[in-house]
Amino acid sequence: MIIKKIRDLTIVDIEDKELVISCDSSGAIGNKDMDVVKISPDIVGYFGAHVALCENIAYGATPITIVNTLSVEMNNTGKEIIKGIKKAAKLIDIDTENVITGSTEENFPTIQTGIGITVIGIKEKNINFKTEKENIAILVGLPKVGEEVLNSNDILTLDILKRLRDNNYIHEIVPIGSKGILYEINEISKLWDLEFKLLNYNVDLYKSAGPATCAVITLKEENLKNLNIDIPLIKLGKFN
């Protein structure tokens, strides 16, 4: 058995398949007395699941388990968080009754919301996605954080991500998180020993994308015309 790390993923080799493990967590975000950011628990659950599922699907895996570890009581905060997790999972037709499992805090009263979500996916080992020389980098969606995320029509959703991953002409898909767009582009360059020429300076390359509100995809320029997505697409530059 071989275990390796790729970006934020842990990959476990098992014969001709890979187990792909991704996770996300949040604290002090919810509707409890001591939460710093006040928001409905179902939204907390939705975006927590969104992040962990994005990482898994972008790598080409099929999620088989969603584990929620909730530092809140089941009734009613936990139920609301799980409702949000199920809403995210249903966007990509996951069987929410059998795939989701987890635990809540029933021994002590909690005054602040804390959640962790782990997604385990499975992928065929012979299916690989690699950024190549002359590939272009396209930003799908826009970086949003905090209240900007709510009710935005310009952010990446799981169903859009799944449609992108189902297209073989798209090479890598890298969800953007708190470190910003340029950080992830540099990680792609280092992984494949490439250089990146930035062509678009009108996007904030350092801004946090919060709960993976956008992603960088790489592909041949000739395939750009095949993208049919109803959220912003911005050409960032080219790998050499």
Side-chain angles (χ1 to χ4, degrees), residues 177-190:
S178 59
K179 295 177 181 177
I181 298 164
L182 188 60
Y183 174 85
E184 298 298 349
I185 286 176
N186 288 336
E187 289 297 293
I188 295 172
S189 299
K190 284 191 290 185

Side-chain angles (χ1 to χ4, degrees), residues 23 35 49 69 85 124 129 156 158 173 175-176 184 195 202 204 206 208 215-216 228:
C23 64
D35 284 332
T69 44
I85 295 170
E124 297 293 332
F129 303 100
L156 182 70
L158 284 166
I173 303 177
I176 308 300
E184 298 298 349
E195 294 183 358
N202 296 319
D204 188 342
Y206 300 94
S208 169
V216 168
N228 183 23

Side-chain angles (χ1 to χ4, degrees), residues 124-233:
E124 297 293 332
K125 195 180 292 186
N126 62 353
I127 299 175
N128 295 295
F129 303 100
K130 178 181 178 181
T131 298
E132 302 170 345
K133 284 186 177 182
E134 302 299 316
N135 277 186
I136 58 173
I138 301 293
L139 183 68
V140 182
L142 298 176
K144 305 274 186 175
V145 67
E147 292 185 359
E148 294 177 328
V149 177
L150 303 179
N151 302 316
S152 174
N153 295 318
D154 296 328
I155 64 176
L156 182 70
T157 56
L158 284 166
D159 52 333
I160 290 175
L161 178 67
K162 182 66 165 55
R163 282 163 52 197
L164 291 170
R165 186 64 288 162
D166 287 343
N167 289 314
N168 291 331
Y169 63 82
I170 293 176
H171 296 175
E172 283 194 278
I173 303 177
V174 180
I176 308 300
S178 59
K179 295 177 181 177
I181 298 164
L182 188 60
Y183 174 85
E184 298 298 349
I185 286 176
N186 288 336
E187 289 297 293
I188 295 172
S189 299
K190 284 191 290 185
L191 181 63
W192 305 116
D193 194 23
L194 299 171
E195 294 183 358
F196 184 74
K197 183 177 181 181
L198 182 66
L199 301 175
N200 191 323
Y201 296 88
N202 296 319
V203 181
D204 188 342
L205 299 174
Y206 300 94
K207 181 178 178 178
S208 169
T213 63
C214 58
V216 168
I217 64 173
T218 64
L219 68 164
K220 294 180 179 178
E221 189 152 17
E222 64 200 58
N223 288 320
L224 182 57
K225 63 182 182 294
N226 296 322
L227 287 176
N228 183 23
I229 303 296
D230 56 2
I231 60 174
L233 296 172

Side-chain angles (χ1 to χ4, degrees), residues 66-168:
I66 302 173
V67 183
N68 60 82
T69 44
L70 308 182
S71 299
V72 296
E73 78 294 342
M74 177 60 86
N75 293 315
N76 286 314
T77 308
K79 285 184 177 178
E80 289 299 306
I81 292 172
I82 293 168
K83 183 193 297 183
I85 295 170
K86 288 182 175 181
K87 180 180 177 182
K90 285 177 180 176
L91 284 174
I92 48 175
D93 298 322
I94 288 177
D95 177 4
T96 57
E97 295 307 313
N98 295 311
V99 168
I100 297 175
T101 187
S103 178
T104 56
E105 175 55 71
E106 305 303 333
N107 293 308
F108 304 102
T110 57
I111 57 174
Q112 195 171 54
T113 304
I115 79 167
I117 295 179
T118 299
V119 172
I120 301 171
I122 194 162
K123 172 183 168 291
E124 297 293 332
K125 195 180 292 186
N126 62 353
I127 299 175
N128 295 295
F129 303 100
K130 178 181 178 181
T131 298
E132 302 170 345
K133 284 186 177 182
E134 302 299 316
N135 277 186
I136 58 173
I138 301 293
L139 183 68
V140 182
L142 298 176
K144 305 274 186 175
V145 67
E147 292 185 359
E148 294 177 328
V149 177
L150 303 179
N151 302 316
S152 174
N153 295 318
D154 296 328
I155 64 176
L156 182 70
T157 56
L158 284 166
D159 52 333
I160 290 175
L161 178 67
K162 182 66 165 55
R163 282 163 52 197
L164 291 170
R165 186 64 288 162
D166 287 343
N167 289 314
N168 291 331

